Amino acid sequence: QSVLTQPPSVSAAPGQKVTISCSGSSSNIGNNYVSWYQQFPGTAPKLLIYENYERPSGIPDRFSGSKSGTSATLGITGLQTGDEADYYCGAWDTSLRLWVFGGGTKLTV
Amino acid sequence: EVQLVESGGDLVQPGGSLRLSCVASGFSFSNYWMHWVRQAPGKGLVWVSRINTEGTSTSYADSVKGRFTISRDNAKNTLYLQMNSLRAEDTAVYYCARGKDQSHWGQGTLVTVSS
């Protein structure tokens, strides 16, 4: 059971938009930055979003992040088949004093 | 270019020990917190441990506390994870990741705990 809750899977057609939610609490998402990671099978995770909505260099603006209260959302527009991957949210938990991940969401395009 | 290269993964019997290494290059290693994250086969990411820049502050997941020790050698640009009293449930790919946001990850090293 992950501290952060994500839907196990989401799907949408190519060209459409999808959102992936990440629900936490005041000790993690509510008072700390949220990061999002993309992982293709057999490869290492890659940072997509940091500090709630910032994109690292090289990440297209089709990917966006937002946060409200104790929940965060990853948005992906203009879906491509190449976006099919697992997506994880993560945040520091101040009460537990450790980093927590969501259980991951498998995106099907 | 930022590079993180893990090594040390192996097949080990339950109760055994292993030390993982993560060699960093392409950035000033001593300026960044570092993490270890693991992923069991077919499962999600699980944070294991983190260490501050000087190596004076560490945190651990409850599942490894008292068995695993994270450390670093800034002179060698290397992060370590000493794993003792290994259990079958520690079987996973272990990744090192850079910085508070885990902005860069290594390719991972596989640890298999089995008799």
Side-chain angles (χ1 to χ4, degrees), chain A:
Chain A
Q1 192 81 1
S2 302
V3 174
L4 304 182
T5 301
Q6 297 180 235
S9 63
V10 296
S11 64
Q16 297 300 304
K17 173 182 178 178
V18 71
T19 60
I20 297 173
S21 62
C22 176
S23 178
S25 68
S26 59
S27 64
N28 42 66
I29 292 177
N31 284 285
N32 294 294
Y33 288 126
V34 177
S35 298
W36 288 92
Y37 307 87
Q38 177 190 58
Q39 185 181 34
F40 296 105
T43 69
K46 174 183 177 181
L47 180 67
L48 279 182
I49 298 289
Y50 67 99
E51 292 182 1
N52 302 331
Y53 56 80
E54 300 288 349
R55 284 187 311 275
S57 173
I59 301 300
D61 59 7
R62 299 189 299 108
F63 296 89
S64 64
S66 64
K67 188 178 93 168
S68 178
T70 59
S71 292
T73 301
L74 173 71
I76 311 173
T77 60
L79 278 170
Q80 304 170 2
T81 56
D83 295 331
E84 285 200 340
D86 294 321
Y87 294 84
Y88 295 88
C89 58
W92 181 256
D93 191 297
T94 307
S95 296
L96 298 174
R97 290 194 73 242
L98 46 79
W99 185 271
V100 291
F101 285 107
T105 299
K106 182 177 181 60
L107 169 62
T108 300
V109 180

Side-chain angles (χ1 to χ4, degrees), chain A residues 35 37 39 43-45 47 50-51 88 92 97-99 101 103, chain B residues 37 39 43-45 47 50 59-60 95 100-103 105-106:
Chain A
S35 298
Y37 307 87
Q39 185 181 34
T43 69
L47 180 67
Y50 67 99
E51 292 182 1
Y88 295 88
W92 181 256
R97 290 194 73 242
L98 46 79
W99 185 271
F101 285 107
Chain B
V37 177
Q39 187 170 35
K43 302 297 185 181
L45 301 175
W47 178 83
R50 68 89 180 156
S59 294
Y60 298 92
Y95 297 100
K100 295 182 179 181
D101 295 316
Q102 297 161 50
S103 62
W105 297 60

